[in-house]
Amino acid sequence: MSLALKAIHTHALDFWLARLSVVVIACLQLLMINDLTVGPRWFAPAVEVALLIPLSIATAWTQISARDARTHEHWQVIARVRYLIRLLALFMTAVITLINFEALMQLVHALLAGHATRVGQTLLLDALNIWVTNVLIFGLWFWSIDRGGPASHGVVDNCRCGFLFPHMTMNTPEAEGWRPGFIDYLYLAFTNATAFSPTDTLPLSRRAKLLMMFESLVSLLTIALVAARAVNILA
């Protein structure tokens, strides 16, 4: 069994934290007050849950099978399923990103159009909803793309790292062998959304930089334009 295949069942909790974040996103979309989504309110969460169910089943299967795998052929089957899981997870994250960005555009359009029927309090709540969803989405993106994906953490050369975490620059026994988990990427997404720039973790790859730029743009639109306009309505 190669090191790359061993990584399939490492950080098992991270996989389920990522799946849980998708459930939280679906719940936030159901709690949206104004009609800012394409189709019925339940449509977007239904699509996400429909993608999440087979993804979760496949994830559970690979983790259980990895414990019992003995032959090279068995590991090859697990590797192929893991590759399909990665593709489906990236597709689901892209779909959620588009849905949330569409909701933001609808909200900005409603504000610029000066719809008097929109109540300031509900705009503030929807803006907060979109901002929190944005943080969760980019936590998923950062976790999914760094070091070749979560199943490859610890087995890909440092030159392919998308982010430089503080632990990776420390020369201490505690930092030796440290690998980022989903919570670390979620924290990265949160700090980037609040500071509009890197804080303690730096992007190394062009892909990571573009993702951080896009997250900052969405966060800036939400906080600077939507929230400010809603406060003006309240005033």
Side-chain angles (χ1 to χ4, degrees):
M1 178 176 58
S2 68
L3 290 176
L5 291 175
K6 284 181 180 179
I8 289 176
H9 60 279
T10 60
H11 297 289
L13 179 61
D14 287 339
F15 284 93
W16 296 112
L17 289 175
R19 306 298 179 254
L20 178 61
S21 68
V22 177
V23 175
V24 174
I25 289 172
C27 293
L28 288 173
Q29 290 169 343
L30 287 173
L31 293 174
M32 193 77 70
I33 300 172
N34 295 290
D35 187 15
L36 303 173
T37 58
V38 177
R41 187 184 301 270
W42 53 264
F43 179 73
V47 171
E48 293 158 6
V49 172
L51 293 171
L52 181 63
I53 290 175
L55 188 61
S56 299
I57 294 174
T59 299
W61 182 87
T62 56
Q63 292 181 356
I64 294 173
S65 299
R67 299 188 198 127
D68 303 325
R70 295 294 181 270
T71 65
H72 178 72
E73 290 75 15
H74 194 177
W75 280 107
Q76 288 297 326
V77 171
I78 295 175
R80 286 194 293 271
V81 173
R82 183 65 191 89
Y83 177 72
L84 294 176
I85 290 174
R86 173 170 167 74
L87 292 180
L88 181 58
L90 289 173
F91 175 74
M92 180 179 65
T93 307
V95 169
I96 298 173
T97 304
L98 291 174
I99 291 172
N100 195 55
F101 189 71
E102 171 64 19
L104 176 60
M105 290 298 98
Q106 291 286 345
L107 189 53
V108 171
H109 178 266
L111 289 168
L112 294 179
H115 291 173
T117 56
R118 309 283 182 168
V119 181
Q121 290 92 333
T122 65
L123 292 176
L124 281 173
L125 292 174
D126 283 344
L128 178 62
N129 189 320
I130 292 172
W131 187 88
V132 172
T133 302
N134 187 55
V135 171
L136 292 172
I137 288 172
F138 281 92
L140 288 170
W141 274 120
F142 299 154
W143 178 70
S144 298
I145 68 162
D146 192 26
R147 302 165 180 243
S152 300
H153 286 185
V155 297
V156 178
D157 294 337
N158 287 337
C159 62
R160 296 187 59 187
C161 290
F163 300 97
L164 179 65
F165 287 86
H167 303 71
M168 298 162 61
T169 63
M170 297 168 59
N171 249 343
T172 61
E174 293 79 10
E176 186 177 355
W178 181 88
R179 293 294 179 267
F182 180 74
I183 297 298
D184 300 294
Y185 294 105
L186 186 62
Y187 172 78
L188 170 61
F190 177 81
T191 55
N192 187 52
T194 52
F196 309 121
S197 64
T199 52
D200 61 342
T201 301
L202 299 177
L204 299 180
S205 67
R206 293 185 178 94
R207 180 170 54 180
K209 292 175 182 177
L210 288 173
L211 281 173
M212 292 188 74
M213 285 172 57
F214 187 70
E215 185 195 9
S216 296
L217 173 63
V218 174
S219 182
L220 181 63
L221 282 173
T222 306
I223 294 175
L225 178 60
V226 178
R229 182 69 176 90
V231 169
N232 289 335
I233 293 174
L234 286 174

